[in-house]
């Protein structure tokens, strides 16, 4: 009879035992993470730029419908509680009528999600359209607002205003001239004061420290967020690439744009889990980076 078992050296036995112990320890940590109660799970997408036009550089406009469909399938499988898109749902068109057509197409796919859905206004959303036209197209009343889910307070900001206070619309603005008007900053401070819950902020233009892609008065907004001592994180888009900054205890994560690159391998979307103790886990898919913040 052929012998299948060979003697093992003491050194190999010790090494194998160590590997088993390390694997068990890792498994134990994962089990603890899995057992941590979750307050809410959010599905996140940004910068879809849907349009029926040829690709331009790295932007593949016609691939967005398929990419969003993939994301929604994942969100359904992972049983999200709410979904948020962080702006630039559509791209520019030559006429408002054509751009409203783009909006109807992408919104039809977005609406297949059977959970509450929230949109952030991006600069491309109101390139040709007015804010009223865009919001009417997605069935949303406001561009700045707040809501609660799972014991967490969520704030949505609208920085699509010129320095003179005029709202974007009908090609009247430059994408680098984004601002939060004084009345919106006052509203933000009052809204944060009124809640007793921990807070997550959603924005399109960035609120952290960059040059081209940040809100011009982002420092004023950050001061309000910091003084509240309630804000856990800011999720944002606009600059299309993964980025992260931590500023005075608040996490600022810039998410990857869905429009960048050909489908399917260049897709990007994520899940954000808010755990009972306030920890955050951002699970990225495809090109989206992953983060875990205790």
């Amino acid at each position: 009879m052929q012998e299948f078992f060979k003697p093992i050296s003491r050194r190999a036995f010790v090494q194998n035992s160590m590997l088993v112990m390390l694997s068990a320890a890792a498994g134990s940590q994962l089990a603890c993470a899995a057992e941590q109660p979750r307050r809410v799970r959010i599905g996140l997408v940004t910068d879809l730029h849907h349009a029926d036009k040829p690709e331009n550089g790295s932007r593949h406009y016609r691939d967005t419908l398929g990419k969003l469909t993939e994301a929604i399938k994942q969100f359904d499988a992972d049983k999200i509680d709410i979904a948020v898109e962080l702006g630039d749902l559509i791209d520019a068109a030559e006429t408002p009528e054509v751009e409203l057509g783009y909006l109807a197409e992408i919104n039809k796919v977005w609406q297949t999600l059977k959970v509450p859905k929230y949109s952030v206004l991006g600069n491309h959303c109101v390139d040709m359209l007015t804010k009223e036209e865009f919001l009417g197209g997605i069935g949303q009343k406001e561009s700045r607002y707040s809501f609660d889910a799972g014991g967490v307070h969520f704030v949505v900001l609208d920085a699509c205003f010129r320095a003179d206070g005029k709202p974007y619309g009908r090609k009247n603005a430059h994408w680098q001239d984004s601002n939060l008007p004084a009345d919106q900053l006052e509203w933000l401070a009052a809204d944060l004061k009124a809640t007793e819950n921990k807070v997550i902020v959603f924005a399109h233009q960035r609120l952290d420290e960059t040059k081209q892609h940040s809100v011009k008065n982002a420092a004023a907004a950050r001061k309000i967020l910091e003084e509240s001592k309630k804000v856990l994180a800011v999720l944002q888009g606009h600059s299309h690439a993964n980025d992260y900054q931590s500023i005075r205890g608040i996490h600022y994560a810039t998410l990857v744009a869905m429009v960048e690159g050909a489908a399917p391998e260049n897709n990007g979307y994520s899940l954000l889990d808010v755990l009972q103790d306030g920890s955050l886990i951002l699970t990225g898919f495809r090109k989206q980076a992953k983060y875990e913040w205790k």
Side-chain angles (χ1 to χ4, degrees):
M1 181 176 180
Q2 186 177 357
E3 186 175 1
F4 288 92
F5 300 95
K6 295 182 180 180
I8 185 169
S9 68
R10 176 177 176 81
R11 181 179 180 181
F13 176 80
V14 172
Q15 288 176 335
N16 289 343
S17 298
M18 288 294 292
L19 288 172
V20 170
M21 291 170 65
L22 289 171
S23 297
S28 176
Q29 291 174 357
L30 290 173
C32 290
E35 291 170 1
Q36 170 69 240
R38 187 178 75 228
R39 290 175 179 264
V40 63
R41 170 170 285 176
I42 307 110
L44 292 166
V45 297
T46 191
D47 292 271
L48 287 75
H49 289 264
H50 168 64
D52 183 16
K53 56 186 183 182
E55 63 193 65
N56 181 12
S58 60
R59 299 185 181 187
H60 290 246
Y61 306 105
R62 290 172 176 154
D63 287 4
T64 289
L65 289 175
K67 288 178 176 179
L68 180 58
T69 299
E70 177 192 308
I72 288 173
K73 183 177 180 181
Q74 185 70 51
F75 293 161
D76 286 340
D78 287 319
K79 299 185 184 331
I80 63 171
D81 301 300
I82 61 174
V84 179
E85 65 92 5
L86 297 175
D88 284 359
L89 188 61
I90 54 175
D91 204 77
E94 294 182 357
T95 68
E97 291 74 21
V98 173
E99 199 155 317
L100 284 170
Y102 295 165
L103 183 58
E105 289 172 345
I106 195 68
N107 190 52
K108 183 177 181 180
V109 178
W110 180 241
Q111 292 301 325
T112 61
L113 274 167
K114 305 303 182 186
V115 298
K117 293 167 286 293
Y118 304 91
S119 287
V120 181
L121 204 65
N123 54 296
H124 279 270
C125 300
V126 285
D127 179 73
M128 177 63 74
L129 302 180
T130 65
K131 292 187 179 184
E132 292 76 17
E133 287 170 338
F134 179 85
L135 293 172
I138 62 172
Q140 184 170 294
K141 293 181 179 180
E142 303 289 342
S143 58
R144 73 168 199 204
Y145 55 98
S146 63
F147 62 95
D148 292 317
V152 180
H153 189 67
F154 296 95
V155 176
V156 175
L157 297 177
D158 171 14
C160 291
F161 290 90
R162 304 186 327 194
D164 62 6
K166 291 186 177 180
Y168 287 14
R170 295 282 194 269
K171 294 191 176 296
N172 70 341
H174 190 276
W175 65 270
Q176 290 180 314
D177 184 20
S178 73
N179 303 268
L180 292 167
D183 66 333
Q184 188 167 170
L185 292 177
E186 292 172 3
W187 169 85
L188 174 62
D191 186 79
L192 293 177
K193 184 178 181 180
T195 185
E196 297 181 356
N197 296 330
K198 290 297 184 181
V199 178
I200 291 176
V201 176
F202 298 122
H204 180 67
Q205 294 93 336
R206 294 175 60 162
L207 294 180
D208 52 1
E209 297 173 334
T210 65
K211 293 181 180 179
Q212 290 185 326
H213 293 91
S214 283
V215 175
K216 281 191 171 181
N217 58 338
R222 290 198 303 270
K223 186 173 186 291
I224 293 171
L225 302 184
E226 293 158 10
E227 289 178 347
S228 77
K229 302 187 184 304
K230 298 173 183 176
V231 179
L232 299 174
V234 177
L235 283 300
Q236 53 200 10
H238 195 42
S239 58
H240 284 214
N242 288 296
D243 198 9
Y244 169 77
Q245 295 179 29
S246 177
I247 304 175
R248 294 181 176 83
I250 298 176
H251 305 287
Y252 293 81
T254 304
L255 306 186
V256 73
M258 185 173 276
V259 73
E260 296 289 339
E265 64 275 10
N266 292 297
N267 203 354
Y269 51 96
S270 56
L271 297 173
L272 178 66
D273 285 329
V274 184
L275 305 186
Q276 192 65 38
D277 66 355
S279 296
L280 304 174
I281 299 174
L282 186 77
T283 303
F285 297 90
R286 300 285 192 180
K287 295 293 185 178
Q288 175 56 51
K290 301 178 181 181
Y291 304 99
E292 184 170 351
W293 303 309
K294 297 291 185 182

